[in-house]
Amino acid sequence: MSIIWFLIVGGVIGWLAGMILGKDIPGGVIGNIVAGVIGAWIGGKLLGQWGWHVSDFYVFPALIGALILVFIVSLVMKSMRKA
């Protein structure tokens, strides 16, 4: 059951990051989940573990990490469209 929560929370965090930045995450729902999970990893490494804890995610560091990831992915996608 925890893997289902892991995927749901990862998807919500990825979706929130995309909404906050106003950028689309390639891949739809799968992209949101990947952005949330990788963002949680980035946030955990850079910012540590603090704030609310939901299914192996610390919400604030995960959201900040996902924001960083979505911003970088949007820059890469923008540069690929120009080339």
Side-chain angles (χ1 to χ4, degrees), residues 38-51:
I38 294 174
W41 180 77
I42 292 170
K45 294 295 181 185
L46 293 177
L47 302 171
Q49 300 175 345
W50 52 275

Side-chain angles (χ1 to χ4, degrees), residues 4-20 25 28-37 40 54 57 59 62-64 66-67 70:
I4 294 171
W5 277 111
F6 186 77
L7 295 174
I8 290 171
V9 174
V12 169
I13 289 173
W15 173 74
L16 281 173
M19 294 296 290
I20 290 170
I25 299 172
V29 173
I30 302 298
N32 285 337
I33 292 170
V34 170
V37 170
V54 179
F57 287 97
V59 175
L63 183 59
I64 293 169
L67 288 169
V70 169

